[in-house]
Amino acid sequence: MFTPDASLHASKGTSTRNPRIRHRTGSSEDGELQPKKKQKTRSALSAQTFLPPLEQKIQENGTLHMNGHTQTNGVAKDAQHEAGAPEISLSLALRGTKKAVERVGKEDGSVTLTKTDNYMITRLRGLPDRLRANSDERQSFVFNTSDGYVLALTRTHALVWQYGDADSSPETNSFALPYPSKSSSDPLPLGSFVSQSASSSEPGLVVVMPISGKVVYWESILNATTLDVIRQQRHGVEGAVGSLLSGEVVVGIENAEPAGYILTFSTGRAAQLSLRDSQGRPAVSVHFLRSSTTHSSRGFLSGFTNFFGGGSWRRDVVAVRSGQTRSRGHRDVVIATSTGVIQIWEVAWGGQNSLRSQVDAKEDMLAAMRGANTIVDNHDGPSFEVLDFAFVVGDRDSTTANATDDTPDLRLLVLAISAATTSTKYCLVELSVAADTARVEMVHPIRCYNDSLGSKSASKPVLVLPLPGHTAFVIFNGAVVLASIAKREDSPDSQLLMDAHKLPEPFEDVVILSDTVGPAIIGSKSENPPNPRPTKSRTGNTHRQSTCVLAIQGAGVVRVAAFEPKEDLDAIERAKITPKTKIEQAVFFGHIPGNILNFSHKPAIHFSQSDVEAAALQISDQILKSTSPFIPVVTPSLDHQLKQRSDALRDLALHLKQNYPPLSRITKWNLLWHAEKMAAARAIWKTYNARLVEKNPKRRNSLLSDLVEMLHEEFKTEPVVELGEKDPVRQWFIKDIWRLEHIVPWAYNTVAELYKGGTRDQATLTKLVSEANDLSLGALETAFAFRQENISLYGLGEEPLVDGVLERGYEGLPEFWTSTYLIVTTTKMLVDLAIQLAIDNWEQPPGEGQPDPVLVKKIGEENVRQIQICCLSYTEHYRWCSVQPNEKTRLGGEHIKMSLLSFRPVQITKLAEIGLVDEGILLAEKYKDMGALVELVVEELHSLSLQETQPAISDEEEAYVRDRIEAVQDRVSGYFDSFGNEWSEALYSHHITEGHLASLLEDNSEYQSYLTKFLRKDPRWRKISWINDICGEKSYIQAGDTLTDLAHDEDDLWNKKVEMSLGKLAWLAVRDGKEVDKNTKENIQYVDKQVAIIDIQEQLHDHISPYLQAALDEEAELQLAMENCGTTATEGMPALHHLLEKAMAKLISRKALDAEALIDILTLLDRRPDSEDEGGVASLKFFLALQVLKLSGMEENKERKEMTERIIWRRCMISDDWESINNTEFQGDVEMEDKAGTTLLFQTLKEGYRSGLWEGSSAYRPLSPQQILGAGCTIQDLRRRFRRDPEGLLEALKTDMENEDRRFQEFIRKGRLDLWFAGVNEAAKKSVRDDADAAGKAAKEMKELEDGVEEGFRKGVGVGKESEKKGKETRKGG
């Protein structure tokens, strides 16, 4: 294989000036760099003295992952460093150097992109305009963190500036690169800073062109810029790498000062680049690393010659790091390959190099990674690759090793990967390398990152481990992983945690760049200040931070600072990646303008829904209480602070909705309620703040300040005066907004308390009520509006919400803060107070002590909105109560609902008293309050009609009034279409209530259907409805149905009879000469039966009316009726007596009796001895009772009908003394027949036979005593009639029925009633037959008489006619 010359030097522009001569330096760049007169061709830098730079403690890789190259001027030539090269004092290197810029807070103009308890990321402002304008241009960045510089390389230019500059467009040193690549797809140049020389306060630069191998070196960035400006032919010290292999390019440059730089090539070769010759003069020389020493490495190569000189040098070198400075001008260099081979080289500034140690750590790392479950096996074995490494710093830092030790003990942190098609696992492995051995000290799997989180890129991740070494940064193309590698110290706290198995996992987190960032991270470097300064985290804890800087394509420089991990008990939570931390980052930093971080990614570590919900509620609660560390407590503008908190709550909801699974319904509502309170509080503050800025020296204290003072300490946080908290109102807005539901009721309560305290004048009360309105409206109106507008944002878009109030779905939700009982009741009281105050002072002239008319008008107009929020709160409260499991709460909700329906129309109609008729109408329309709407419309039309008839009205006013009337009437007409039956019912009810019945029936053709529905819907309007059925609908059948339905429920006897008769008449009117249908015929028969029952009741009333003549009132009438007609039959039976008295009262007052009550009177009515109404009520009362039973239609309830029938027969049989009748001693047949014929049993049986009640298809037959025994003597029997009566009444009735039955049985046993019944029954039949025979005989005799009279009449007429004929003939003849 080809082995290049190791002693190529650049000599074309080499200076010959003695380097020990120090020239004067000045402020003028030209005077310093440009010679006074033309001399031999030499480098413009030759006037300076070049000294070796200060020894570096640690050099991290800032360029290995970047694709670029550097340039030099001059031709290479051989030169060896002289063995006697002068010793350089370290103090010279410090001459002119700049102190590291301390970046504390915002002094550098940086913007905090995110901050947690564990780390902080800030974006530095400085970025050259050229790079900002050409963000799509390929770029690479190199940092010099010790001096605060950054180098940006494009294909054609290099730009240098101080990245900590607070100016967004920093002062930039920009110059064109010599020999730029011709193709835009070529690798970018590689570059590195060079330590300051003694003659310059600025660092120098070295740039390497990857393809051509050209090298260019500038002693200072100022020289490079100046030379570019004056366009000199020479651009610095130039040289070249030498002959590159076919296809070989330079891929990396590592600063190994003072021993130069290490170049790595795509073929796996490495070379040492020197920028000084043996005399300390600028010169470019390249020496490929090789070694003739044989090392017994563990399975890799036996010599560096083989490593880079033979076929085996084609290895994948993944990282080169500069280690400790072993002696003056000497530096260790550590090289790692992807397969896990670690080599330690010693290089010197004269170009000498040697391989000190080599170890193959692959198997050791594989075993450790497999134990940590971070190995992915492929089909051909375990997958393993080393990506990068860094030195472990601190007390184990390799730079602290004994420089004379030939076998230094190195601690390396290696980034390794194990990947397959479906799985990728990264881990950090800490290696201890000594001589030819390697030992794994620790394995840290990276769990928070997988390739799906970052954009795909060909570049490999980079590992950065800044001082003090507690946190490692793994930098991917679009993400940064922060992992704590600090070893746990033995302490009491850690021992306690270990014993409790609560020792936290090392902290680990990932930061993802936004998708808007192009190629993402294009440069990185650790920031290692000499003494890492303590920094306070967001919780106030002090930490030593570990910091690195990143270059972001198009975005500039970003600083990532990790805080030192702690070992105490509080560190358990801090070390966890919690959903709260992730959500807080998105909420408080995600919307910062220009934030390049992506907080919406799906974390590799998944959180449970319960943890996410708990975190969301905690964050929201902290925002509401201003306890979040991201919320400022003291700000000049409280409104700004409130807006910041409102925005944070909105961002929280948006982030949760977009990036997490749907939360539970209760959590969503709680988050929404928090946001509502914040919006409401901000509205209240605005009105309060506007009042504060009024320049009114006479202004009294604000209502809000009085309110906060009166508020119970349970509902506010008392200000701590010692801490400067002197404003209770601001204190409440900062800390107590979460208790807003307690302050809203006090809008009214404060006015009431001040009134009780002596504030009585109308002017002051008006001001108080105005401010109370501001608070109430600001809170509730804002809250309901916010809820309606943002319901979808909180994932509740499917909830049935109208005007901010749920229509349904209150189950499982706590009480809504906008409708607590106190808010509901006090809001209503405030509305009543405000409207009455406005009415009392409306349009009153201003005067001393009088309310301000402007405030009065304001209060009046605000009442429209106040009524709305009052209705909303009431509605929400009763709906919530209605679904609660507690019955008391449900009843309370029903009471609230009834209260709302009661006072709402009153509140709405009162608006008309202050001229807000239209507003009242709109409210009535909105809430469909038809009662209020009808009243407002009717009153408005009436008022307009009166105005129209005023004699003094002008033509213009009259035209306006007419137009107004027409507009209102048109609106009314539209209500029938808009509200339908609801409107018509309210309108027609109002007409009836006001006595305008005739206007309904006169002309209503346009809305006839609404009138008909209205009248037929409510039974109360049936007395009007039947008229509408005939006059409006022309339906006689419906009119008949309506009348009979009305009569069925009619209480007045006369009305009932008239309504039944009119109903029958209406049905008959349908006939029109034709046979009526079956249904109508049945209806007519029903009416006839009902009228017959009414006739019997009238007969009964006529029967008792003679006994009532002496009564003065109805009470006396009842007393007389019971004394004369209701004592004997119910004697000793109080329940039956009460039943009779109750029915008798209705009979006397001519109330319609039901069939059973009428039967009670007929069967319990006393039989007076002096009664001589044979064939009247007294003798036929039991027959009439049976007749009523038949007419009532009780056959449908057979058991009830049979029980009633048996009771009628029992009372009939016990109404006579059968023991006396049975005593026939010394009595003849005629006397006994007369005696039996006077019994009510005989009269009843005879009338039944005579009327045909017992014959034919009739269901009624005379019942024998055996058939009626025990009738109604059980609770079950009585329950058939008295279904709703108490058990006590049934027991009393049962006792009385048993007494009746015992008397009945006594008559059977002693009076042989059962035998007498048969005889009396036959006698009744015989009497009916005899009466029929007598009637037939009398009819026959009457017929014969009539026939005789008629015959005589005919004969008499004939004789007369003959005599008349003869008379006429005689006269004619004469």
Side-chain angles (χ1 to χ4, degrees), residues 32 88 904 1315:
E32 179 185 359
I88 306 298
R904 184 177 64 192
L1315 300 177

Side-chain angles (χ1 to χ4, degrees), residues 17-46:
R17 185 167 300 183
N18 190 338
R20 299 182 187 273
I21 300 176
R22 181 174 292 115
H23 293 272
R24 179 181 58 87
T25 61
S27 61
S28 172
E29 297 182 11
D30 293 339
E32 179 185 359
L33 300 175
Q34 185 175 351
K36 294 183 178 181
K37 61 181 180 178
K38 187 174 181 179
Q39 298 177 356
K40 293 182 180 180
T41 303
R42 61 178 62 176
S43 169
L45 301 177
S46 60

